[in-house]
Amino acid sequence: MEISKKYLSIAIDGPAGAGKSTIARQIAKKLGYIYIDTGAMYRAMGLYFVRENISLEEEDAVIKACEQVDISIIFEQGEQQVLLNGENVNGLIRSVEAGTMASACSVKKQVREKLVELQQRLAAKENVVMDGRDIGTHVLPNADLKVYLTASTEVRAKRRYEELIRKGESVSLEEIEKSIMDRDYQDMHRDISPLSQAKDAVLVDSSAMTITEVADHILFLFSQIIA
Ligand code: DC
C-alpha cells in the first residue's frame, strides 16, 4: 500500500517490556495524535487461533482463518480497543500466554499481511504514534521519526512483572524473564519482518531513564524534525 505523507507519524519499535506502549501513549496524548498499539492486534489474532483450536502448523487452516477473521479497532475515550469479529477483546489479551500466542502467530505471512494492511490504512488517515516490532522497517518506512526503544532484559522483566502483579496476575519474575527472552528470540529471528532497528531509527536505551524522561526525549527529537 502506498503511504500518504499527508499525515505525520512516529514509529516506535523494540523488544517486549521496553516501555513502548506507555511512552507511545504519553507522546500521542501530548501531540494530540492517535496511539496505535499493533501488538494488541497480534494478540487478538493469537486469541482467535487458540479459541478456534487452529494449529499454526496447518498452512491451509491458517490461510482460511486469516480470510475469515475480522480484526478492527475503535477508540473509547482515546484508548484503542481491539475487536475480534466485533467482540471487544481488550480485557483478554494482556496475559503472558496471550503474548506468547501473539508472538507465535506473528511469524505467519498471512497474519502479518492482514494486520500490516490494517495498520497502514489507519496511518493513512490520522497523525499517529504507532508501536510494534516492524513499524519503522516495514509498516511505515517513511515515518517522520523512528525510535528503537530498548532496555536490559532484567529491567524489562522487572517492569513487566510489576505491571502484571499490579493487575492481580500470579506470576514469578523468573517466568517473566524467560518468556521475555523467548519472545525476543522468536521476534528477532523470524523470516518475515523480524524485529530490528531500522537504519534511520534513533536508538533509545530506557534502562536508566524514567518514562517521562524517555517521552520528553522523543518529543524533543520530533520537535526538531517538524520544526
Ligand atoms: O508489543 P506486544 O508485546 O503486545 O506484542 C506481542 C507480540 O506480537 C510480539 O511478541 C510480536 C508480535 N508483534 C509483531 O510481530 N509485530 C508488531 N508490529 C507488533 C507485535
Side-chain angles (χ1 to χ4, degrees), residues 7-224:
Y7 293 98
L8 296 167
S9 55
I10 299 180
I12 304 183
D13 290 300
K20 297 187 299 293
S21 58
T22 312
I23 286 155
R25 185 178 285 109
Q26 216 175 81
I27 292 169
K29 201 166 170 202
K30 283 238 167 93
L31 294 170
Y33 288 12
I34 302 287
Y35 163 50
I36 298 174
D37 170 1
T38 63
M41 300 172 188
Y42 288 92
R43 286 170 182 261
M45 275 303 272
L47 179 63
Y48 180 75
F49 284 110
V50 168
R51 277 181 170 177
E52 299 295 316
N53 216 359
I54 299 168
S55 159
L56 292 169
E57 308 302 317
E58 289 169 31
E59 204 64 24
D60 290 349
V62 172
I63 293 172
K64 196 160 159 237
C66 287
E67 281 165 6
Q68 285 176 348
V69 70
D70 181 52
I71 304 279
S72 57
I73 64 165
I74 54 166
F75 292 91
E76 270 176 15
Q77 286 150 6
E79 271 295 304
Q80 171 185 298
Q81 309 288 317
V82 184
L83 307 185
L84 170 58
N85 290 330
E87 174 194 352
N88 187 331
V89 292
N90 250 42
L92 303 174
I93 55 173
R94 289 292 147 206
S95 63
V96 176
E97 294 73 35
T100 306
M101 270 150 35
S103 181
C105 81
S106 75
V107 307
K108 295 287 168 191
K109 176 169 156 267
Q110 296 82 5
V111 170
R112 301 207 72 80
E113 280 175 358
K114 187 177 183 82
L115 297 184
V116 167
E117 205 219 314
L118 169 62
Q119 293 151 17
Q120 291 180 332
R121 262 194 281 122
L122 291 164
K125 55 178 190 180
E126 308 265 8
N127 292 326
V128 296
V129 181
M130 193 179 278
D131 78 359
R133 303 290 187 289
D134 59 341
I135 311 305
T137 52
H138 190 64
V139 180
L140 304 177
N142 299 321
D144 299 277
L145 173 63
K146 298 180 187 177
V147 174
Y148 189 83
L149 184 63
T150 190
S152 70
T153 312
E154 297 72 38
V155 167
R156 290 188 288 125
K158 191 155 174 284
R159 285 180 189 159
R160 256 299 139 88
Y161 170 76
E162 284 166 359
E163 186 187 325
L164 290 166
I165 292 292
R166 262 199 310 277
K167 284 186 187 156
E169 281 207 34
S170 125
V171 285
S172 73
L173 184 57
E174 293 70 39
E175 182 192 343
I176 300 295
E177 195 160 338
K178 179 168 183 326
S179 93
I180 276 190
M181 286 195 300
D182 289 349
R183 214 133 66 81
D184 284 356
Y185 185 86
Q186 177 145 275
D187 294 345
M188 287 171 179
H189 292 86
R190 66 178 175 229
D191 290 340
I192 316 164
S193 310
L195 168 64
S196 70
Q197 184 181 344
K199 283 194 191 72
D200 49 352
V202 181
L203 176 68
V204 178
D205 186 329
S206 72
S207 304
M209 292 169 88
T210 65
I211 285 163
T212 309
E213 282 169 346
V214 178
D216 285 349
H217 180 55
I218 296 174
L219 283 165
F220 170 71
L221 294 172
F222 190 57
S223 70
Q224 291 197 312

